[in-house]
Amino acid sequence: MLLLITYDVNTETSAGKKRLRRVAKQCQNFGQRVQNSVFECVVDPAMAKELKYKLEQIIDKEKDSLRFYNLGSNYKNKIEHIGAKASIDVDDTIII
């Protein structure tokens, strides 16, 4: 399933900047960045639960926010991209 994650982390303090880096790094472990604070993650339900838990442990719930959009398994026809910064096909084989 495709899980779209958006976040807003308060970076007025050095602790906030550290949280922002930690949230982004955790999201990168599960998916690809498609905009500054937006990640697309192709995960199964267990991985989604794990990711949500990890992110909740990082943020300050008084200052930061997370949003999760579950686009399901038939997500390809639900996404339309216009403009620069093309994304990779997460279902395709990746050669490193």
XYZ file of all heavy atoms in Angstrom:
772
model
N 0.841 -1.176 0.000
C 0.000 0.000 0.000
C 0.884 1.237 0.000
O 2.023 1.176 0.448
C -0.929 0.006 1.208
C -0.251 0.260 2.531
S -1.482 0.232 3.847
C -0.474 0.756 5.193
N 0.342 2.325 -0.507
C 1.093 3.576 -0.528
C 0.636 4.437 0.635
O -0.548 4.711 0.798
C 0.884 4.332 -1.834
C 1.648 5.647 -1.935
C 3.150 5.403 -1.978
C 1.224 6.421 -3.164
N 1.591 4.832 1.462
C 1.341 5.709 2.588
C 2.032 7.030 2.296
O 3.243 7.072 2.099
C 1.899 5.081 3.868
C 1.660 5.816 5.175
C 0.170 5.861 5.497
C 2.417 5.124 6.300
N 1.259 8.090 2.225
C 1.798 9.420 2.007
C 1.938 10.074 3.374
O 0.981 10.112 4.144
C 0.858 10.236 1.118
C 1.349 11.606 0.710
C 2.474 11.488 -0.302
C 0.207 12.417 0.131
N 3.135 10.562 3.673
C 3.404 11.173 4.972
C 3.798 12.629 4.766
O 4.679 12.929 3.953
C 4.548 10.439 5.704
C 4.193 8.970 5.894
C 4.846 11.113 7.044
C 5.329 8.129 6.408
N 3.137 13.509 5.488
C 3.514 14.919 5.490
C 3.796 15.310 6.935
O 3.206 14.760 7.863
C 2.401 15.822 4.922
O 1.279 15.789 5.776
C 2.006 15.383 3.524
N 4.693 16.255 7.109
C 5.018 16.675 8.466
C 5.384 18.143 8.501
O 5.788 18.739 7.511
C 6.143 15.830 9.062
C 7.413 15.774 8.240
C 8.401 16.746 8.373
C 7.626 14.747 7.343
C 9.563 16.691 7.621
C 8.777 14.679 6.590
C 9.745 15.649 6.738
O 10.891 15.593 5.990
N 5.201 18.717 9.673
C 5.580 20.088 9.940
C 6.258 20.075 11.303
O 5.609 19.788 12.313
C 4.349 20.996 9.942
C 4.708 22.466 10.031
O 5.866 22.819 9.727
O 3.842 23.256 10.417
N 7.553 20.343 11.325
C 8.323 20.328 12.563
C 8.787 21.746 12.853
O 9.369 22.401 11.993
C 9.527 19.362 12.458
C 10.369 19.402 13.723
C 9.050 17.941 12.179
N 8.528 22.212 14.069
C 8.942 23.541 14.489
C 10.461 23.569 14.622
O 11.037 22.830 15.424
C 8.276 23.885 15.830
C 8.600 25.273 16.295
O 9.748 25.687 16.324
N 7.572 25.998 16.678
N 11.117 24.420 13.843
C 12.592 24.470 13.835
C 13.133 25.767 14.427
O 14.219 26.199 14.075
C 13.122 24.292 12.400
O 12.569 25.318 11.567
C 12.774 22.926 11.850
N 12.401 26.367 15.352
C 12.864 27.601 15.987
C 14.018 27.359 16.950
O 14.742 28.282 17.287
C 11.710 28.284 16.717
C 10.639 28.796 15.776
C 9.438 29.366 16.501
O 9.340 29.198 17.741
O 8.601 29.983 15.831
N 14.185 26.118 17.396
C 15.266 25.774 18.324
C 16.164 24.721 17.691
O 15.795 24.074 16.697
C 14.701 25.212 19.643
O 14.041 23.961 19.354
C 13.723 26.171 20.303
N 17.331 24.531 18.288
C 18.229 23.488 17.774
C 17.616 22.106 17.970
O 17.821 21.202 17.160
C 19.605 23.572 18.438
O 19.495 23.414 19.835
N 16.846 21.923 19.032
C 16.164 20.642 19.259
C 15.142 20.385 18.147
O 14.999 19.253 17.684
C 15.475 20.636 20.620
N 14.451 21.427 17.701
C 13.495 21.289 16.604
C 14.185 20.923 15.305
O 13.697 20.089 14.542
N 15.324 21.541 15.045
C 16.085 21.215 13.829
C 16.553 19.770 13.864
O 16.547 19.083 12.838
C 17.263 22.165 13.682
C 16.828 23.581 13.376
C 17.994 24.540 13.367
C 17.474 25.963 13.173
N 18.524 26.960 13.300
N 16.923 19.297 15.039
C 17.344 17.895 15.184
C 16.154 16.960 14.941
O 16.291 15.945 14.257
C 17.918 17.676 16.584
C 18.455 16.285 16.804
C 19.072 16.146 18.182
C 19.598 14.746 18.399
N 20.193 14.587 19.735
N 14.983 17.318 15.480
C 13.784 16.496 15.250
C 13.455 16.439 13.769
O 13.106 15.376 13.239
C 12.580 17.055 16.022
C 12.617 16.838 17.493
C 11.270 17.104 18.164
N 10.626 18.340 17.780
C 10.850 19.526 18.337
N 11.743 19.647 19.312
N 10.180 20.596 17.927
N 13.569 17.576 13.083
C 13.283 17.624 11.646
C 14.185 16.653 10.887
O 13.716 15.883 10.043
C 13.468 19.043 11.117
C 13.276 19.214 9.608
C 11.840 18.921 9.205
C 13.686 20.611 9.186
N 15.477 16.672 11.183
C 16.417 15.751 10.516
C 16.080 14.303 10.830
O 16.127 13.440 9.951
C 17.854 16.071 10.931
C 18.396 17.358 10.341
C 19.890 17.525 10.598
N 20.226 17.562 12.007
C 20.256 18.663 12.770
N 19.933 19.820 12.238
N 20.592 18.585 14.044
N 15.704 14.027 12.078
C 15.382 12.651 12.473
C 14.101 12.157 11.788
O 14.030 11.002 11.356
C 15.256 12.548 13.987
C 16.597 12.710 14.695
C 16.484 12.642 16.198
N 16.016 11.332 16.604
C 15.325 11.100 17.722
N 15.037 12.080 18.542
N 14.930 9.886 18.021
N 13.099 13.027 11.680
C 11.853 12.651 10.999
C 12.140 12.359 9.526
O 11.715 11.337 8.992
C 10.775 13.758 11.147
C 9.623 13.531 10.181
C 10.266 13.819 12.577
N 12.890 13.253 8.869
C 13.204 13.052 7.452
C 13.996 11.766 7.242
O 13.709 10.998 6.316
C 13.986 14.249 6.915
N 14.983 11.513 8.105
C 15.794 10.301 7.965
C 14.946 9.046 8.136
O 15.083 8.090 7.378
C 16.932 10.312 8.984
C 17.872 9.155 8.834
C 19.043 9.234 9.770
C 19.956 8.043 9.540
N 21.103 8.051 10.436
N 14.045 9.071 9.107
C 13.187 7.906 9.329
C 12.278 7.668 8.125
O 12.090 6.535 7.689
C 12.364 8.109 10.599
C 11.772 6.858 11.141
C 12.816 5.810 11.470
O 12.805 4.744 10.861
N 13.690 6.080 12.408
N 11.739 8.741 7.550
C 10.891 8.603 6.364
C 11.700 8.078 5.181
O 11.203 7.259 4.400
C 10.238 9.936 6.014
S 8.941 10.438 7.165
N 12.935 8.525 5.037
C 13.788 8.047 3.943
C 14.066 6.554 4.063
O 14.276 5.884 3.062
C 15.109 8.806 3.915
C 14.977 10.192 3.357
C 16.282 10.968 3.426
O 17.087 10.782 4.325
N 16.468 11.849 2.465
N 14.062 6.033 5.272
C 14.279 4.600 5.477
C 13.120 3.762 4.922
O 13.278 2.565 4.697
C 14.453 4.289 6.962
C 15.758 4.792 7.510
O 16.718 5.015 6.767
N 15.811 5.001 8.809
N 11.972 4.385 4.717
C 10.784 3.654 4.282
C 10.275 4.063 2.910
O 9.414 3.392 2.352
C 9.650 3.834 5.307
C 9.849 3.076 6.575
C 10.639 3.593 7.598
C 9.264 1.834 6.767
C 10.823 2.897 8.785
C 9.439 1.126 7.944
C 10.224 1.665 8.951
N 10.751 5.195 2.380
C 10.197 5.658 1.110
C 11.040 6.717 0.453
O 12.226 6.849 0.735
N 10.396 7.484 -0.418
C 11.118 8.516 -1.160
C 10.497 9.883 -0.904
O 9.279 10.016 -0.771
C 11.113 8.216 -2.657
C 9.762 8.347 -3.326
C 9.856 8.276 -4.829
O 10.861 8.628 -5.413
N 8.784 7.819 -5.461
N 11.369 10.877 -0.832
C 10.910 12.258 -0.663
C 10.372 12.734 -2.005
O 11.036 12.620 -3.027
C 12.070 13.146 -0.235
C 11.669 14.585 0.029
C 12.886 15.466 0.247
N 13.695 15.045 1.365
C 13.604 15.539 2.609
N 12.710 16.468 2.878
N 14.399 15.103 3.555
N 9.161 13.288 -2.000
C 8.586 13.818 -3.227
C 8.461 15.339 -3.168
O 8.342 15.987 -4.206
C 7.224 13.164 -3.569
C 7.431 11.704 -3.941
C 6.231 13.305 -2.438
N 8.468 15.898 -1.977
C 8.559 17.339 -1.763
C 9.255 17.529 -0.422
O 9.527 16.556 0.279
C 7.187 18.003 -1.797
C 6.576 17.972 -3.176
C 5.342 18.849 -3.298
O 4.854 19.401 -2.326
N 4.845 18.963 -4.509
N 9.534 18.778 -0.048
C 10.347 19.020 1.142
C 9.901 18.243 2.376
O 10.709 17.616 3.035
C 10.409 20.513 1.464
C 11.286 21.255 0.486
O 12.144 20.674 -0.158
N 11.069 22.545 0.361
N 8.665 18.273 2.723
C 8.184 17.577 3.914
C 7.111 16.555 3.567
O 6.159 16.345 4.314
C 7.630 18.590 4.920
O 8.650 19.446 5.359
N 7.289 15.905 2.410
C 6.318 14.917 1.931
C 7.058 13.686 1.429
O 7.962 13.790 0.607
C 5.436 15.495 0.788
C 4.418 14.472 0.329
C 4.767 16.783 1.219
N 6.652 12.527 1.928
C 7.253 11.265 1.518
C 6.184 10.298 1.054
O 5.086 10.254 1.619
C 8.012 10.614 2.685
C 9.366 11.188 2.915
C 9.527 12.369 3.607
C 10.489 10.552 2.423
C 10.771 12.909 3.820
C 11.750 11.079 2.629
C 11.893 12.264 3.331
N 6.519 9.515 0.012
C 5.681 8.403 -0.432
C 6.377 7.128 0.015
O 7.540 6.897 -0.310
C 5.548 8.392 -1.953
C 4.731 9.527 -2.503
C 4.657 9.519 -4.017
O 5.382 8.720 -4.666
O 3.889 10.318 -4.567
N 5.662 6.300 0.757
C 6.233 5.065 1.283
C 5.349 3.891 0.877
O 4.162 3.866 1.221
C 6.331 5.129 2.800
S 7.279 6.532 3.416
N 5.918 2.947 0.159
C 5.196 1.719 -0.177
C 5.523 0.717 0.926
O 6.658 0.257 1.043
C 5.587 1.187 -1.570
C 4.871 -0.131 -1.857
C 5.250 2.215 -2.643
N 4.519 0.436 1.750
C 4.719 -0.391 2.939
C 3.554 -1.360 3.111
O 2.480 -1.157 2.552
C 4.838 0.500 4.204
C 6.095 1.345 4.174
C 3.617 1.389 4.371
N 3.792 -2.385 3.897
C 2.687 -3.254 4.295
C 2.146 -2.713 5.624
O 2.744 -1.812 6.218
C 3.136 -4.717 4.389
C 4.241 -4.960 5.406
O 4.236 -4.316 6.485
O 5.112 -5.795 5.137
N 1.019 -3.223 6.102
C 0.426 -2.674 7.328
C 1.369 -2.708 8.548
O 1.383 -1.763 9.338
C -0.804 -3.555 7.557
C -1.197 -3.985 6.182
C 0.117 -4.186 5.457
N 2.157 -3.750 8.674
C 3.086 -3.829 9.816
C 4.168 -2.759 9.730
O 4.516 -2.126 10.733
C 3.722 -5.219 9.884
N 4.689 -2.545 8.531
C 5.705 -1.506 8.345
C 5.114 -0.124 8.587
O 5.775 0.751 9.164
C 6.296 -1.590 6.937
C 7.145 -2.820 6.695
S 7.584 -3.055 4.950
C 8.565 -1.609 4.625
N 3.878 0.099 8.152
C 3.210 1.386 8.367
C 3.072 1.660 9.863
O 3.338 2.770 10.330
C 1.848 1.398 7.692
N 2.671 0.648 10.600
C 2.516 0.793 12.051
C 3.861 1.099 12.707
O 3.949 1.961 13.580
C 1.901 -0.486 12.635
C 1.532 -0.393 14.078
C 0.795 -1.638 14.535
C 0.394 -1.506 15.982
N -0.357 -2.673 16.456
N 4.902 0.404 12.269
C 6.248 0.627 12.807
C 6.718 2.052 12.518
O 7.243 2.744 13.399
C 7.227 -0.380 12.186
C 8.656 -0.163 12.586
C 9.629 -1.063 11.842
O 9.202 -1.903 11.022
O 10.839 -0.906 12.076
N 6.523 2.499 11.294
C 6.944 3.843 10.911
C 6.189 4.903 11.708
O 6.791 5.850 12.221
C 6.750 4.048 9.408
C 7.068 5.433 8.856
C 8.482 5.870 9.212
C 6.856 5.444 7.350
N 4.881 4.765 11.821
C 4.090 5.719 12.588
C 4.578 5.785 14.035
O 4.727 6.862 14.607
C 2.609 5.341 12.557
C 1.944 5.591 11.230
C 0.487 5.146 11.278
C -0.170 5.267 9.926
N -1.580 4.835 9.958
N 4.837 4.628 14.617
C 5.316 4.573 16.003
C 6.652 5.306 16.135
O 6.835 6.120 17.043
C 5.444 3.120 16.472
C 6.042 3.010 17.847
C 5.267 3.241 18.978
C 7.386 2.702 18.014
C 5.814 3.162 20.249
C 7.945 2.621 19.286
C 7.161 2.847 20.395
O 7.701 2.782 21.652
N 7.581 5.023 15.221
C 8.904 5.654 15.284
C 8.796 7.170 15.144
O 9.481 7.916 15.857
C 9.824 5.083 14.205
C 10.274 3.670 14.502
C 11.188 3.141 13.411
C 11.699 1.753 13.781
N 12.661 1.238 12.802
N 7.951 7.631 14.235
C 7.805 9.065 14.043
C 7.157 9.732 15.257
O 7.549 10.832 15.650
C 7.006 9.353 12.770
C 7.698 8.976 11.461
C 6.754 9.172 10.291
C 8.977 9.781 11.271
N 6.175 9.059 15.849
C 5.526 9.609 17.044
C 6.502 9.761 18.199
O 6.349 10.658 19.029
C 4.360 8.723 17.475
C 3.137 8.850 16.601
C 1.984 8.016 17.125
O 1.574 8.236 18.287
O 1.508 7.143 16.381
N 7.512 8.886 18.260
C 8.513 8.960 19.319
C 9.474 10.131 19.107
O 10.091 10.610 20.056
C 9.313 7.650 19.406
C 8.471 6.423 19.686
C 7.553 6.598 20.875
O 8.004 6.896 21.971
N 6.259 6.441 20.659
N 9.593 10.606 17.869
C 10.533 11.680 17.544
C 9.923 13.063 17.763
O 10.575 13.954 18.322
C 11.009 11.553 16.082
C 11.800 10.259 15.884
C 11.840 12.766 15.677
C 12.107 9.933 14.431
N 8.695 13.253 17.333
C 8.128 14.607 17.321
C 7.742 15.096 18.719
O 7.547 14.305 19.638
C 6.907 14.719 16.377
C 5.723 13.917 16.906
C 7.265 14.337 14.960
C 4.403 14.287 16.272
N 7.613 16.401 18.819
C 7.057 17.047 19.999
C 5.600 17.346 19.656
O 5.314 18.220 18.834
C 7.826 18.341 20.296
C 7.290 19.084 21.505
O 6.115 18.884 21.881
O 8.048 19.893 22.073
N 4.686 16.631 20.245
C 3.266 16.734 19.880
C 2.660 18.093 20.214
O 1.591 18.420 19.718
C 2.468 15.608 20.532
C 2.839 14.242 19.966
C 2.062 13.124 20.603
C 2.543 11.797 20.057
N 1.929 10.658 20.722
N 3.345 18.884 20.996
C 2.879 20.236 21.309
C 3.286 21.236 20.226
O 2.676 22.291 20.101
C 3.452 20.693 22.657
C 3.034 19.833 23.824
C 1.545 19.918 24.113
O 0.991 21.032 24.034
O 0.942 18.867 24.412
N 4.331 20.906 19.448
C 4.883 21.860 18.482
C 4.884 21.362 17.038
O 4.949 22.164 16.116
C 6.327 22.206 18.865
C 6.462 22.846 20.215
C 7.911 23.078 20.553
C 8.047 23.659 21.958
N 9.439 23.803 22.345
N 4.861 20.063 16.824
C 5.015 19.465 15.504
C 3.738 18.720 15.100
O 2.879 18.453 15.935
C 6.181 18.468 15.493
C 7.460 19.035 16.080
O 7.699 20.249 15.943
O 8.232 18.252 16.677
N 3.649 18.375 13.818
C 2.502 17.574 13.378
C 2.909 16.600 12.280
O 3.846 16.846 11.526
C 1.368 18.473 12.879
O 1.743 19.118 11.687
N 2.200 15.495 12.248
C 2.350 14.452 11.233
C 0.977 14.205 10.623
O -0.032 14.240 11.324
C 2.809 13.132 11.860
C 4.188 13.071 12.485
C 4.309 11.810 13.332
C 5.245 13.085 11.406
N 0.960 13.929 9.316
C -0.284 13.517 8.649
C 0.027 12.290 7.811
O 1.038 12.260 7.110
C -0.843 14.640 7.779
C -1.314 15.831 8.614
C -1.916 16.898 7.756
N -3.181 16.501 7.179
C -4.373 16.793 7.700
N -4.461 17.470 8.812
N -5.469 16.411 7.096
N -0.831 11.290 7.881
C -0.675 10.047 7.140
C -1.878 9.876 6.223
O -3.027 9.943 6.676
C -0.598 8.855 8.096
C 0.552 8.928 9.060
C 0.378 9.499 10.314
C 1.796 8.450 8.718
C 1.429 9.577 11.209
C 2.857 8.521 9.613
C 2.666 9.083 10.854
N -1.623 9.649 4.937
C -2.681 9.414 3.955
C -2.475 8.014 3.388
O -1.479 7.757 2.714
C -2.622 10.439 2.820
C -2.787 11.864 3.288
C -1.688 12.616 3.673
C -4.046 12.455 3.335
C -1.836 13.934 4.106
C -4.201 13.767 3.761
C -3.090 14.493 4.149
O -3.232 15.789 4.569
N -3.402 7.118 3.667
C -3.314 5.758 3.161
C -4.003 5.717 1.803
O -5.227 5.784 1.726
C -3.962 4.792 4.146
C -3.819 3.365 3.717
O -3.432 3.067 2.594
N -4.128 2.462 4.612
N -3.215 5.587 0.740
C -3.769 5.557 -0.613
C -4.045 4.141 -1.093
O -4.475 3.945 -2.224
C -2.829 6.276 -1.585
C -2.615 7.757 -1.285
C -1.667 8.373 -2.295
C -3.926 8.506 -1.259
N -3.785 3.150 -0.244
C -4.108 1.771 -0.568
C -3.163 1.138 -1.577
O -2.092 1.647 -1.867
N -3.584 0.015 -2.114
C -2.750 -0.741 -3.053
C -2.949 -0.313 -4.503
O -2.075 -0.529 -5.336
C -3.043 -2.235 -2.918
O -2.686 -2.675 -1.629
N -4.076 0.263 -4.816
C -4.346 0.718 -6.187
C -4.116 2.223 -6.291
O -4.986 2.965 -6.712
C -5.785 0.364 -6.589
C -6.022 -1.125 -6.583
O -5.166 -1.885 -7.009
N -7.159 -1.540 -6.094
N -2.925 2.641 -5.917
C -2.626 4.065 -5.817
C -2.150 4.695 -7.123
O -2.217 5.912 -7.270
C -1.564 4.300 -4.743
C -0.273 3.569 -5.001
C 0.717 4.139 -5.785
C -0.050 2.309 -4.464
C 1.891 3.461 -6.029
C 1.129 1.633 -4.704
C 2.104 2.211 -5.477
O 3.261 1.540 -5.711
N -1.679 3.909 -8.073
C -1.053 4.479 -9.267
C -1.980 5.409 -10.039
O -1.546 6.424 -10.554
C -0.513 3.384 -10.171
C 0.698 2.717 -9.554
C 1.423 1.845 -10.521
C 2.617 1.254 -9.801
N 3.593 0.723 -10.659
N -3.254 5.089 -10.108
C -4.172 5.964 -10.842
C -4.740 7.078 -9.965
O -5.561 7.860 -10.410
C -5.299 5.161 -11.498
C -6.109 4.377 -10.495
O -5.797 4.352 -9.312
N -7.145 3.727 -10.965
N -4.289 7.172 -8.711
C -4.721 8.229 -7.801
C -3.709 9.368 -7.719
O -3.957 10.354 -7.041
C -4.945 7.664 -6.399
C -6.059 6.650 -6.315
C -6.197 6.110 -4.913
C -7.259 5.027 -4.847
N -7.354 4.448 -3.511
N -2.572 9.216 -8.394
C -1.507 10.203 -8.315
C -1.305 10.846 -9.672
O -1.177 10.157 -10.679
C -0.183 9.549 -7.867
C -0.358 8.899 -6.493
C 0.947 10.567 -7.849
C 0.813 8.042 -6.074
N -1.276 12.152 -9.681
C -0.982 12.896 -10.898
C 0.154 13.846 -10.590
O 0.112 14.587 -9.609
C -2.214 13.686 -11.343
C -2.001 14.453 -12.613
C -3.259 15.176 -13.070
O -4.326 14.955 -12.476
O -3.153 15.963 -14.017
N 1.192 13.812 -11.394
C 2.359 14.670 -11.177
C 2.508 15.621 -12.353
O 2.467 15.193 -13.501
C 3.625 13.816 -11.037
C 4.864 14.636 -10.927
N 5.323 15.095 -9.721
C 5.715 15.100 -11.861
C 6.421 15.808 -9.923
N 6.682 15.821 -11.217
N 2.697 16.903 -12.053
C 2.928 17.915 -13.073
C 4.147 18.714 -12.658
O 4.253 19.137 -11.510
C 1.706 18.854 -13.212
C 0.472 18.051 -13.621
C 1.994 19.974 -14.200
C -0.820 18.833 -13.570
N 5.076 18.905 -13.560
C 6.228 19.751 -13.272
C 7.507 18.975 -13.028
O 7.611 17.787 -13.309
N 8.471 19.686 -12.483
C 9.822 19.166 -12.280
C 9.875 18.145 -11.152
O 8.887 17.887 -10.473
C 10.768 20.322 -11.960
N 11.050 17.607 -10.971
C 11.359 16.648 -9.909
C 10.573 15.355 -10.082
O 9.711 15.002 -9.269
C 11.120 17.247 -8.528
C 11.756 16.441 -7.423
C 11.646 17.154 -6.099
C 12.316 16.317 -5.030
N 12.262 16.928 -3.728
N 10.875 14.677 -11.157
C 10.228 13.386 -11.412
C 10.602 12.396 -10.319
O 11.693 12.437 -9.765
C 10.655 12.857 -12.767
N 9.692 11.505 -9.996
C 9.956 10.505 -8.970
C 10.282 9.171 -9.606
O 10.001 8.935 -10.770
C 8.745 10.369 -8.048
O 7.624 9.955 -8.781
N 10.877 8.304 -8.793
C 11.180 6.958 -9.270
C 9.962 6.078 -9.076
O 9.111 6.366 -8.225
C 12.391 6.351 -8.525
C 12.114 6.229 -7.023
C 13.640 7.165 -8.788
C 13.134 5.428 -6.274
N 9.891 5.021 -9.848
C 8.818 4.045 -9.686
C 9.226 3.128 -8.543
O 10.155 2.326 -8.683
C 8.614 3.263 -10.977
C 7.457 2.271 -10.891
O 6.901 2.087 -9.789
O 7.125 1.693 -11.927
N 8.557 3.236 -7.411
C 8.950 2.475 -6.234
C 8.706 0.975 -6.390
O 9.249 0.186 -5.622
C 8.228 2.994 -4.957
C 8.707 4.392 -4.630
C 6.731 2.953 -5.136
N 7.936 0.568 -7.374
C 7.694 -0.851 -7.607
C 8.732 -1.442 -8.559
O 8.813 -2.655 -8.723
C 6.306 -1.073 -8.195
C 5.217 -0.803 -7.173
O 5.467 -1.030 -5.975
O 4.129 -0.367 -7.573
N 9.529 -0.587 -9.204
C 10.530 -1.030 -10.155
C 11.781 -1.530 -9.438
O 12.001 -1.223 -8.261
C 10.921 0.144 -11.061
C 10.990 -0.248 -12.529
O 10.775 -1.431 -12.824
O 11.242 0.640 -13.352
N 12.606 -2.294 -10.113
C 13.868 -2.761 -9.566
C 14.852 -1.603 -9.482
O 14.999 -0.830 -10.422
C 14.470 -3.868 -10.465
O 13.513 -4.913 -10.586
C 15.756 -4.405 -9.873
N 15.522 -1.494 -8.335
C 16.517 -0.435 -8.137
C 17.898 -1.057 -8.166
O 18.171 -2.017 -7.435
C 16.293 0.292 -6.806
C 14.916 0.956 -6.812
C 17.388 1.327 -6.553
C 14.552 1.623 -5.508
N 18.759 -0.545 -9.011
C 20.144 -1.021 -9.105
C 21.050 0.011 -8.468
O 21.040 1.179 -8.844
C 20.543 -1.264 -10.569
C 19.610 -2.311 -11.183
C 22.009 -1.701 -10.655
C 19.805 -2.511 -12.663
N 21.840 -0.440 -7.506
C 22.748 0.472 -6.802
C 24.176 0.231 -7.223
O 24.644 -0.828 -7.360
C 22.602 0.306 -5.281
C 21.185 0.621 -4.884
C 23.579 1.205 -4.550
C 20.876 0.385 -3.429
